[in-house]
Amino acid sequence: MNCEVCHLKELEVEHFEIREVVRCILHTIIFHRALGLVRPKEIDLELFEITYVQCGDLEVEKKIEEKIEQFIGWVEKHPNKKSQICLSFYEVKNKQVSWFSKQMERIYWEHWHINLNVAQQPKVHSVKSHNSKVVDTGENTLEERSIRRASLEASLRDVLFQIIRFVNDKKEHVPPIPSREGVISFPYEITIPSSSDSAFGMDMIKRMLQTGHPTMLS
Amino acid sequence: MDQIVSQFLLKSLHIILDSRIPSLHPNDQRSDRHTSVSRARKNDKWFNLVLGDRPAALENLNFWHRNLMDPMIIDIILVHEGPNSSSVDAYSAIKASVETVIERWVVHYESPRVTPNINDSSLHKKIYKKLIILLRSLYSQMRLLPAYRIFRQLSSSGQTYNLNLIYKVSTFSNPFSRAEEEMMREYVFAPVEASSGRFSVAVSYRKTLSDFNLEAATSMFPRIITDYVGSPATDPLRSFPSFDKGVCATSFPLRGVGSPSSAPFQRPHSWTSGFHRPAPFTQGHSLGGSPPTYCAYGSPSPPTDMCSQRAQSYRSTSQRLNSYEEYQLSPPFSPSPSPSPPTYFSSGSVGRSRGWSETAPMTIPHPTASGNARYLSPNFSDPNRHSLPPLSPRHTRLDPSSQESASGIRSFRKPESLRSGELHSHSVNQKVTKDGRDDSGRFSGLLSSSGSPRIGFSRSSSRLSFPDDLDDGDFSCPFDVDDVDPPLVSDGREGSEFTSTSLPMGAKSQDAAVGILVDMLRRAPPLQQDSSCYSAQSLNTEQDGGVATASGFFMPRKTTDALEELRSYRDMKNLLLSKSGAHVLRKDEA
């Protein structure tokens, strides 16, 4: 089956907004892919006037929070970089490698790429400037900030619409729901850029290893 | 496959209404919704989306949506005050309420031809899976559209607003006008193809809702009319302006007041939650009681939520002012379970659920108050009041905030269970008021049927307003206010006018109020149980025990109950007199 990839619109976020934005997006995607019995949970964002839906599963919440923490840690080490969080859904298949061994293989059928551009926190030079200047920059910053905030809110809403549209348009590739209990019907993983600089490259290699020719692994 | 289709329709309707209509689930339920999945009801597990209690309205979907192939069009309507709203003059004209369709959802299972059901289970599984995804995205989308903001604000507790959201479900709809269309944006969910048809969901929504200002309604503080004097000089036989909207009648059913049948309207398959102009209510007659759908907001506070929507539209500060003033007339009334507005007071959720309509027990004083305020010119004279008795719930609607402040008549706490009871009571009412008698008839059915947990007093009072003949009650009124002419009951809309009672001029306001009350009681139809009223019940087979008990409850009450009522009235009178006596004393001393 084919693997669908969705690249979400890039969002410019400030450091303190990362958590909420990423949480919102990840949960929304998972809500549409957790096809087990779900009792939806509505969450209002604090920073924006947006309400999104969580699937209500505690495991999922925990996993997402962990990943967000890791991501924030990474961002702090690599400031001012465009980053990407990848949420992937896969199927696990047993593949007969050779006549005596089997191998678990992950077959990815969907990738979501969340593109973020974390804006660096503006350094405050107020100590040196004159008072008036400080006030000016202060006001400007505030105004800029609110403009940016508004545009981020609109962009986030667009991203959510994008997710919904993608979810609706592409339904064929979704594998049949495995008959297991629980909210999450399909295993998933969240990939954040790793510490190395060639983060994206490493991810690609990893993925290739997992889905590629089994002989590579042995 | 058919089951999938019908469940899909139900589920989508549930999703849409849940996130747009505030009155369906009052606040206190929201927190309860996130309980463990394991407690989900079996029916709720369809499409793996647990939504919580299904509004009773949904139960009746099967009745009206006969043909599964018809599109289900759900209009979300915002009721707000029109631009020509008048000033806060107590006697000003009614504020026009305008209804604007802010969202129109079309859920349709299109089947080009009738194909035999192909029971291919793997196909079904695929379709089911896709529908799950579709519904999930519908659920998310509901929260992203602009109307959700308004819904959240309206649902928040405590405040009452000048807007209200109601819905209308039908199988066809008026297309939008050009101007309206320009303001709408459309979104179509990708359809799910099935072998025998196609599921499609689409929405046209208003791009921006900033035109509607959501303001918290000012709470009306009751004012005491110190110099109220009932004036016999006013024309006692003044008739109400006819309700050209015809809606009046329709509104009743919602409330359960049964107006019902006179509300003719309608479009064959459509029902709405609120006051909708063409009043497309499916009449109870035809559906054997399914109309209750509209009012099915099964919120815990019974009648209040019933047609809450309706109530909202007619909110006008002036009216409220009026109504309260009239209430205030008799402060001593408050403690006693007077049949009036107290009904509202009782429900705690009144404030919250904006849509509370007057509850059944709204009895006598009730009509006088608000009804008069609205339609009659500034004269609080009793004769007019009398004439407005069972009035349209509209009139008698009291602002929740004012109610709460007005009195502590909390006697009628209706148990939550009446949700369905109310629903059914609507249907009962509809039957009851079949004869087209709107006024007095209005309260009867519903009031009676829904009243089981009510205090005896209220129950009886509600019964007083039975639609039937308004001959003098079996009981003799303990308050011999004056000689009472046999009430002139005009047919149809003219509101049953009670002949004027000449209240003693210059009587103290409290006495006057008592007199009015008494008079109304006297004129109210006797406490006869009209068996025909209850015949409707038999139609509602799906009604739960609520209605059944309610109706059964009333049957046995006869003269003994009337006597009891009388006694209570007498006690009330004595109480009032004693209080007023004390009041007089105090005044003298002051």
Side-chain angles (χ1 to χ4, degrees), chain A residues 34-35 38 42 44 172 174, chain B residues 48 129-130 136 143 152:
Chain A
L35 304 185
V38 151
E42 290 169 12
D44 299 327
E172 292 295 327
V174 180
Chain B
N48 280 344
K129 172 187 82 186
K130 292 185 188 169
R136 296 277 166 102
R143 278 138 190 84
R152 285 296 293 270

Side-chain angles (χ1 to χ4, degrees), chain B residues 337-355:
Chain B
S338 71
S340 46
T343 48
Y344 298 91
F345 300 104
S346 56
S347 22
S349 58
V350 163
R352 226 187 356 220
S353 52
R354 306 184 18 187

Side-chain angles (χ1 to χ4, degrees), chain B residues 495-509:
Chain B
S496 33
E497 318 257 12
F498 293 98
T499 50
S500 62
T501 42
S502 45
L503 284 185
M505 290 285 294
K508 288 248 182 281
S509 54

Side-chain angles (χ1 to χ4, degrees), chain A residues 28 30-45 48-56 156-157 160-161 163-177 182-183 185-186, chain B residues 19 30 32-41 44-52 126 128-141 143-146 148-149 152 187 189-192 205:
Chain A
T28 303
I30 291 184
F31 175 68
H32 289 103
R33 288 286 178 251
L35 304 185
L37 187 62
V38 151
R39 191 174 279 258
K41 205 160 109 176
E42 290 169 12
I43 307 285
D44 299 327
L45 287 181
F48 310 105
E49 271 207 3
I50 292 180
T51 305
Y52 69 98
V53 189
Q54 287 185 358
C55 63
L156 180 57
R157 215 182 275 271
L160 293 180
F161 272 122
I163 294 174
I164 291 178
R165 196 165 291 126
F166 185 86
V167 157
N168 264 297
D169 288 345
K170 316 250 191 225
K171 295 199 194 93
E172 292 295 327
H173 66 292
V174 180
I177 304 173
V183 168
S185 18
F186 311 112
Chain B
S19 47
R30 279 175 79 79
D32 300 335
R33 302 235 241 138
H34 304 306
T35 45
S36 68
V37 175
S38 56
R39 291 211 263 133
R41 271 187 283 156
D44 213 4
K45 291 188 179 175
W46 271 91
F47 303 105
N48 280 344
L49 194 62
V50 177
L51 294 173
K126 263 197 181 165
Y128 189 68
K129 172 187 82 186
K130 292 185 188 169
L131 288 177
I132 291 179
I133 297 178
L134 176 61
L135 286 175
R136 296 277 166 102
S137 58
L138 173 65
Y139 192 88
S140 304
Q141 185 78 311
R143 278 138 190 84
L144 290 177
L145 292 177
Y148 186 65
R149 285 279 119 217
R152 285 296 293 270
Y187 182 82
F189 289 82
V192 173
Y205 62 98

Side-chain angles (χ1 to χ4, degrees), chain A residues 177-194:
Chain A
I177 304 173
S179 53
R180 59 190 219 178
E181 285 298 309
V183 168
I184 298 297
S185 18
F186 311 112
Y188 65 98
E189 69 173 6
I190 304 173
T191 319
I192 55 172
S194 62

